Amino acid sequence: MKDDAIVSMFINRDEQAIREAESKYQKYLMSVSYNICGNMEDSKECVSDTYLAAWNSIPPHHPENLLAYLSRLTRRISIDSFRKKNRDKRRSSQYAVSLDELEECIPDRNRTEEIVEERELQRYINQFLGTLRENERNIFLRRYWYAEEYNEIAKRYSLNLNTVKTTLFRVRRKLKDYLEKEGVAI
């Protein structure tokens, strides 16, 4: 079933919309959530919460790209779940590991709020992503937005594992330089 039809079903409050979205995107959303949570049970709960969040937010929202919309919901819900479950302990997941990698080029959150509002930092990062070649941008997003493992990225783009690691290292260095040039204290 096409996404437009599924979105129309959500808008018309047809419960079949959830089943259709689940049938079409469950595996992908589980992958996104698992990369963040690192736990299958938590991921199942987050993806289930995603469908509820979609039900509650469509309408008033009318997503043009249903997969992107559901992915964004899944990512937000999974990050919230990860943070809640790991407040006192640092559990290993691809999300935690990818955040550690970015620490050297993204300023401390408390300091960022003093210097630049979060939306401005987002704007800088989006502008930076626009300066990258398509393959660099894709690799960066797969690692730091979708929290994919290096070997998954290498397989997806038919690259050597070291090429992925080197690309990410160089892009992080470019990001750090870009943010410093824009006046964001690291």
Side-chain angles (χ1 to χ4, degrees):
M1 178 174 281
K2 293 193 176 208
D3 286 358
D4 291 344
I6 298 172
V7 170
S8 292
M9 292 167 74
F10 272 109
I11 290 170
N12 294 325
R13 312 314 288 160
D14 182 347
E15 292 179 15
Q16 182 66 24
I18 293 172
R19 290 186 287 279
E20 293 294 335
E22 184 177 30
S23 166
K24 192 168 183 180
Y25 296 122
Q26 178 79 7
K27 185 177 178 183
Y28 180 79
L29 297 177
M30 282 295 296
S31 173
V32 169
S33 184
Y34 185 80
N35 285 343
I36 294 169
C37 295
N39 176 298
M40 191 57 72
E41 299 306 315
D42 292 346
S43 298
K44 287 178 183 175
E45 186 176 327
C46 291
V47 171
S48 178
D49 289 349
T50 296
Y51 299 125
L52 178 61
W55 180 261
N56 290 332
S57 63
I58 304 173
H61 297 287
H62 188 283
E64 291 185 27
N65 184 328
L66 183 61
L67 177 58
Y69 187 76
L70 294 174
S71 296
R72 190 169 53 248
L73 289 174
T74 300
R75 186 173 189 279
R76 182 182 46 81
I77 291 167
S78 298
I79 289 170
D80 289 347
S81 173
F82 178 84
R83 286 179 179 155
K84 188 185 320 178
K85 292 187 185 284
N86 296 289
R87 278 195 177 105
D88 297 328
K89 60 183 182 200
R90 184 77 175 209
R91 195 171 78 197
S92 180
S93 79
Q94 284 305 309
Y95 176 66
V97 172
S98 68
L99 287 181
D100 287 343
E101 291 172 3
L102 280 176
E103 277 183 357
E104 68 188 44
C105 56
I106 300 290
D108 179 277
R109 182 170 177 78
N110 294 329
R111 193 163 176 210
T112 301
E113 290 173 357
E114 295 171 13
I115 299 169
V116 183
E117 291 183 18
E118 188 172 314
R119 291 188 187 269
E120 192 162 342
L121 181 58
Q122 269 182 331
R123 186 174 57 82
Y124 286 138
I125 292 172
N126 284 334
Q127 287 173 348
F128 168 75
L129 290 174
T131 69
L132 297 176
R133 294 188 319 259
E134 183 178 0
N135 68 325
E136 291 175 324
R137 184 173 45 250
N138 289 340
I139 292 169
F140 185 87
L141 290 173
R142 283 283 157 198
R143 179 67 180 156
Y144 300 117
W145 178 259
Y146 296 105
E148 282 189 9
E149 294 184 34
Y150 294 120
N151 58 353
E152 289 177 36
I153 298 167
K155 184 178 176 183
R156 176 183 301 276
Y157 296 111
S158 302
L159 297 171
N160 181 298
L161 182 61
N162 286 333
T163 301
V164 171
K165 289 179 178 181
T166 302
T167 300
L168 288 168
F169 174 79
R170 289 177 180 158
V171 171
R172 285 193 310 270
R173 190 170 45 195
K174 286 179 187 178
L175 175 59
K176 181 179 179 184
D177 293 344
Y178 182 86
L179 292 174
E180 286 175 343
K181 185 183 114 209
E182 293 297 327
V184 178
I186 307 298

